[in-house]
Amino acid sequence: MVGDDRGVRPLRPTAGLLAGASAAAVLALWLTGVLLRWWSAPLVGWLTLLVLCAVSATECWRASRAAGLSVPARNFWRFVAVSCVMLGLGAISNAHDALAGQSVPSQRLSALTLGCFMSASAITQWGLLRLPGARVQRGGPLQLALDSGIVMITVALLAWHLSFRHAEAWNKVAGSVWPAVVAVVCGCASIAVFVKLASTGIGAIERGALRTLAAATAVAAAAGALAPAFAPYPEIGDAHVTVALAGAFIAVAADRQRRAADLPPPPPMPPRRWSVLPYLAVAVANGLLLVAGQGPDGRVLTAGTVLLTLIVVVRQVHAFRDNARLLATVDRTVAQLREARDQLANQAAHDALTGLGNRRMLSRRMAEMAGTPPHRLHLILIDLDDFKLVNDRLGHNVGDELLRAVAVCLGGVVGGAGTVVRLGGDEFAILADAEPADADALVARVAEALQQPLTAGDVELMIRASIGLTDAAPLGGDGDRPGGADARELLRRADVAMYAAKDRGKHRVARFTSDLDEVAAEDARIAAELRRALDQDELSMVYQPIVRLPGGGIEAAEALIRWNHPQRGLVPPSVFIPVAERTGLIAPLGEWILSSACRQAVRLRAEPRPEGPVRVCINVSARQLRDPEFPATVRRILTETGADIGQITIEVTETAVFDDDLALASVRTLREMGVRIALDDFGTGHSSLGLLRICPVDVLKVDKSFVDEICADDAPPQVIATALLQIARGLHLMAVAEGVETAEQAERLYALGYRYAQGYLFHRPMPADDLLRVTAAPVPA
């Protein structure tokens, strides 16, 4: 991570920087003395130069080890450190040539010396081009080559005019001018690379450090171009200026990188619309032409200016074409972004699974239909009954396929008559502009279509749906709103109607009326008070015994819940149990009932009786049975209370398990656990006899409606009661007659063969303590 130019920590002199500064000062004094002919001492110049190379290499290595620096940046500074070492080796070779060669001047460069300096330049450029972001894109290599050529020709023209036109003097001292020319050319190439990247920025290297490195190459190249000026001073070598300046700038750049290593990254540099480099190069070349005049110098400068102008023209033509490609790319990108935006907008309004519109689409269509007459604006809400069972039994893949099949079915039925959306889960909605009679006909077609088998993958399924229908016509309280119900109110009404359809037994259709609101409001009040009753111990349990005929000895006791409301008084279970089922409170309420009854069973088992402990029968609702975790809940409560599993009987109604695979599975699991199962209100359900084939049952409780008329002269009640008893005996089940209220009924039932009964004739529901007392009393002879 790097910092921007303003975020770099202030410069704090280190031992390395102080050593470098001292060496640079000594070298400057030595150069001044040599130029003024005060002293010679060439060894001093070479030693201080080596110190500068060592300092720059050390600072680069320290920068590569700075905390927070990225791996590419670490590698780059290691490359630069190696370059500094190569500069030092070149300086040592140059010093050897000058000091050991007797009369060899310092300006003369051997092949080894020149190779070291060239290697240093190449290593630095290679490390720079390896940085992330330094690799140029399509068209970039040509532009980089053209920019390098522009810089090289411009610097070469300057070097020619200022130095190399005096090549004869340089040849006499250094033996050849070409080493200096090669050094200048390499320096120019380095300048081009550094300037290009310093102007565009590389995230891995701090910008100020990169610009300092660019300045180092520029100053070194310029100093190399002035090398012929030192021809009268054989003690001074080109390295004393170029290598010294490069080393000093490199040390400063490395220190700056190290101080910025753990700072946050800078903001990206804005793209440059144009480059000043070509225009500046042409201006310099033309300026040189103006001052050169005629002669060889003028001809060389003229030729160089023409070549420079041609390169600049090629570079600008390339830039124009590159800009055209960039504009075309921008246009394509804009078109792609617009297409992506349209796709996102479409996806935001559609369900990914079914392809139907979603809740956002429904809201948009409602807003578009705001001017529709309220009595014509209809919303149909469809909820698939027991969809969770499909997911649990067949897997979510089949469930998803079923949702897609339902979507196709609804789309085919509705067609252009409305908008079909999926609200989420297993809920669908249809928004239609239709007269009330037409809306009712549409709902009938939808209900009929959903009764047909649907194919989900390789499975053919029969589904059921509860459907709620409403229009936007104002209710009594909304008469002052001519627009009728808004979108939120329309959804609320449809939801209320749909749940009313579920409460009526599922697979029903219900149209919203104001009465449903009153029922929903009353349900909400009762549910809130029931929740409070659970928390404040307003609930209690009573027990109604089941007796043996004819003596009346107690065989079992049915657990019944009572709610003594502080304001309402005694609230019948027929009022609050359905509310608990509709609101989901049946789960905590059922657990409370089960725990209380199991604790009472433990108390009853502690009372020794010759005929064994009294069994406790506990009523369970259909919603509890549809919970796959219900058998585990029963097992946990039995363990917590210590109740004997053989002492517990679970009572279920025929409607709770009829055509409900999930509820039937719970009953089977309970029976496998050892819990006795009683089928309550037997004979009043959908298909009692067929249910006995698939539902594991231990006890049949014959409904009170058959007992009420058992003593009548009319034969059918007695025939039915007798038939039910024969069925129970044939299946080895215990038959219990419910609702016995008179002695005559008890006698007739006994005569028909019944041996167990329950009713007010024997015992009314009683508190737990009274039940203990009654069961402990001796049975009359």
Side-chain angles (χ1 to χ4, degrees):
M1 299 179 69
V2 298
D4 60 10
D5 293 346
R6 296 169 294 176
V8 179
R9 292 186 173 88
L11 177 63
R12 293 182 180 177
T14 62
L17 289 179
L18 291 175
S22 300
V26 172
L27 183 60
L29 289 174
W30 178 79
L31 288 171
T32 303
V34 173
L35 291 173
L36 296 177
R37 306 293 185 180
W38 291 349
W39 57 67
S40 175
L43 184 60
V44 174
W46 293 112
L47 289 177
T48 54
L49 182 60
L50 292 177
V51 170
L52 276 173
C53 290
V55 168
S56 60
T58 303
E59 289 298 313
C60 290
W61 188 257
R62 290 185 63 197
S64 71
R65 296 173 62 85
L69 201 63
S70 64
V71 173
R74 293 181 189 277
N75 293 334
F76 169 75
W77 286 107
R78 288 167 184 164
F79 275 113
V80 179
V82 174
S83 299
C84 294
V85 173
M86 296 305 299
L87 288 176
L89 294 176
I92 293 174
S93 176
N94 199 176
H96 178 269
D97 295 339
L99 298 178
Q102 301 300 324
S103 60
V104 178
S106 298
Q107 290 95 337
R108 182 166 295 180
L109 303 179
S110 67
L112 178 60
T113 302
L114 188 59
C116 289
F117 291 156
M118 298 279 289
S119 299
S121 175
I123 291 172
T124 302
Q125 292 185 57
W126 175 250
L128 188 67
L129 292 175
R130 282 178 57 87
L131 286 170
R135 296 179 178 84
V136 288
Q137 298 177 353
R138 178 183 175 185
L142 178 58
Q143 183 172 334
L144 182 59
L146 293 172
D147 288 343
S148 300
I150 291 171
V151 172
M152 291 169 62
I153 292 174
T154 304
V155 176
L157 291 176
L158 283 170
W160 168 264
H161 181 71
L162 298 176
S163 298
F164 290 128
R165 62 177 176 164
H166 308 293
E168 294 180 2
W170 180 261
N171 282 329
K172 292 179 181 179
V173 177
S176 174
V177 75
W178 289 109
V181 172
V182 173
V184 170
V185 170
C186 291
C188 292
S190 296
I191 292 173
V193 174
F194 271 105
V195 169
K196 182 70 176 177
L197 298 180
S199 62
T200 57
I202 299 176
I205 305 299
E206 199 272 330
R207 292 174 186 168
L210 194 60
R211 291 167 184 161
T212 304
L213 291 175
T217 59
V219 172
L226 297 175
F230 301 122
Y233 307 96
E235 300 90 344
I236 300 176
D238 189 21
H240 286 112
V241 181
T242 56
V243 175
L245 290 174
F249 275 90
I250 290 173
V252 172
D255 179 74
R256 184 181 179 93
Q257 176 68 77
R258 181 175 52 80
R259 288 182 286 115
D262 57 349
L263 294 178
M269 295 182 66
R272 294 179 179 270
R273 295 176 179 268
W274 56 279
S275 175
V276 74
L277 179 63
Y279 308 102
L280 180 61
V282 172
V284 170
N286 283 279
L288 292 175
L289 278 177
L290 292 176
V291 300
Q294 301 298 322
D297 185 35
R299 288 192 293 272
V300 171
L301 291 176
T302 300
T305 302
V306 171
L307 179 60
L308 179 64
T309 303
L310 290 175
I311 294 177
V312 169
V313 169
V314 173
R315 192 237 187 237
Q316 295 305 93
V317 170
H318 175 267
F320 292 150
R321 291 181 177 177
D322 198 38
N323 289 340
R325 286 194 297 267
L326 179 61
L327 289 175
T329 302
V330 170
D331 291 341
R332 287 194 301 270
T333 303
V334 170
Q336 291 172 355
L337 289 175
R338 288 176 177 170
E339 183 180 356
R341 179 196 62 189
D342 295 340
Q343 290 178 353
L344 288 175
N346 183 68
Q347 292 174 2
H350 286 79
D351 174 52
L353 178 64
T354 63
L356 297 176
N358 57 15
R359 190 178 293 270
R360 180 174 295 182
M361 169 72 79
L362 181 63
S363 300
R364 183 189 304 170
R365 291 289 295 129
M366 285 181 175
E368 293 171 356
M369 298 174 67
T372 305
H375 75 282
R376 289 183 56 89
L377 183 58
H378 285 84
L379 181 64
I380 304 166
L381 194 60
I382 304 163
D383 184 88
L384 305 183
D385 295 330
D386 301 324
F387 177 75
K388 185 177 182 297
L389 180 62
V390 176
N391 281 334
D392 292 342
R393 291 292 183 85
L394 303 178
H396 288 275
N397 290 336
V398 175
D400 291 344
E401 290 294 333
L402 178 59
L403 292 175
R404 293 190 187 98
V406 171
V408 172
C409 175
L410 293 178
V413 172
V414 176
T419 301
V420 183
V421 301
R422 179 186 175 215
L423 298 180
D426 58 354
E427 276 194 346
F428 296 82
I430 302 171
L431 186 66
D433 177 4
E435 293 292 339
D438 295 333
D440 291 336
L442 176 60
V443 170
R445 293 198 302 273
V446 168
E448 182 180 0
L450 292 178
Q451 290 178 4
Q452 307 304 315
L454 294 177
T455 302
D458 298 330
V459 182
E460 193 172 67
L461 299 173
M462 296 291 295
I463 63 170
R464 299 185 301 174
S466 298
I467 303 176
L469 168 66
T470 186
D471 57 35
L475 300 178
D478 298 329
D480 54 299
R481 279 208 339 235
D486 59 13
R488 183 177 299 178
E489 172 64 11
L490 202 62
L491 272 171
R492 188 196 67 80
R493 292 183 186 179
D495 199 53
V496 169
M498 185 268 292
Y499 276 105
K502 282 187 175 295
D503 291 340
R504 295 171 186 173
K506 299 184 180 182
H507 194 42
R508 300 286 192 275
V509 175
R511 178 180 274 274
F512 176 82
T513 63
S514 57
D515 293 342
L516 294 181
D517 261 349
E518 296 175 4
V519 172
E522 179 64 14
D523 281 359
R525 285 192 293 270
I526 292 177
E529 293 172 358
L530 184 57
R531 167 59 69 182
R532 187 201 63 206
L534 276 169
D535 297 335
Q536 298 184 1
D537 294 330
E538 294 178 8
L539 303 174
S540 61
M541 297 296 296
V542 294
Y543 300 86
Q544 185 177 27
I546 298 172
V547 301
R548 293 185 294 273
L549 295 179
I554 297 177
E555 177 69 19
E558 181 180 0
L560 304 170
I561 188 170
R562 294 293 182 263
W563 180 13
N564 190 10
H565 193 281
Q567 285 82 36
R568 299 172 182 260
L570 194 62
V571 181
S574 59
V575 172
F576 66 85
I577 292 296
V579 172
E581 290 187 332
R582 286 193 292 268
T583 59
L585 279 175
I586 193 64
L589 181 62
E591 284 197 30
W592 185 89
I593 293 172
L594 192 60
S595 296
S596 300
C598 285
R599 286 193 295 270
Q600 179 66 6
V602 172
R603 296 178 65 190
L604 290 169
R605 192 178 63 205
E607 298 292 334
R609 293 197 325 159
E611 58 269 49
V614 175
R615 295 190 177 94
V616 176
C617 304
I618 306 168
N619 291 282
V620 173
S621 72
R623 185 157 182 172
Q624 287 176 278
L625 290 174
R626 284 196 293 269
D627 181 4
E629 299 300 320
F630 179 68
T633 301
V634 173
R635 188 189 302 274
R636 172 177 56 82
I637 291 176
L638 288 171
T639 301
E640 291 173 352
T641 59
D644 183 1
I645 197 169
Q647 196 182 351
I648 301 299
T649 300
I650 295 294
E651 291 194 11
V652 299
T653 62
E654 295 177 69
T655 55
V657 293
F658 176 75
D659 200 18
D660 193 324
D661 291 342
L662 196 58
L664 195 57
S666 294
V667 170
R668 288 170 176 164
T669 302
L670 291 170
R671 188 66 186 83
E672 291 170 0
M673 289 166 49
V675 177
R676 290 165 58 87
I677 303 297
L679 202 56
D680 200 10
D681 302 331
F682 187 73
T684 62
H686 298 79
S687 179
S688 302
L689 298 180
L691 190 61
L692 290 176
R693 293 189 301 106
I694 58 175
C695 183
V697 176
D698 298 283
V699 180
L700 289 185
K701 300 189 74 174
V702 179
D703 188 68
K704 182 178 183 296
S705 61
F706 299 114
V707 176
D708 287 341
E709 300 179 4
I710 197 72
C711 297
D713 294 333
D714 194 9
Q718 297 186 34
V719 173
I720 294 174
T722 303
L724 294 178
L725 177 63
Q726 294 302 320
I727 291 172
R729 286 179 174 175
L731 296 175
H732 306 289
L733 305 179
M734 172 182 174
V736 178
E738 293 184 296
V740 180
E741 297 181 352
T742 65
E744 186 180 6
Q745 290 174 340
E747 291 172 0
R748 181 59 60 89
L749 288 168
Y750 182 74
L752 292 175
Y754 281 88
R755 295 298 178 262
Y756 300 96
Q758 180 183 16
Y760 283 1
L761 173 65
F762 310 107
H763 299 281
R764 289 180 175 270
M766 63 188 68
D769 292 340
D770 291 350
L771 178 64
L772 287 172
R773 192 164 45 252
V774 170
T775 55
V779 179

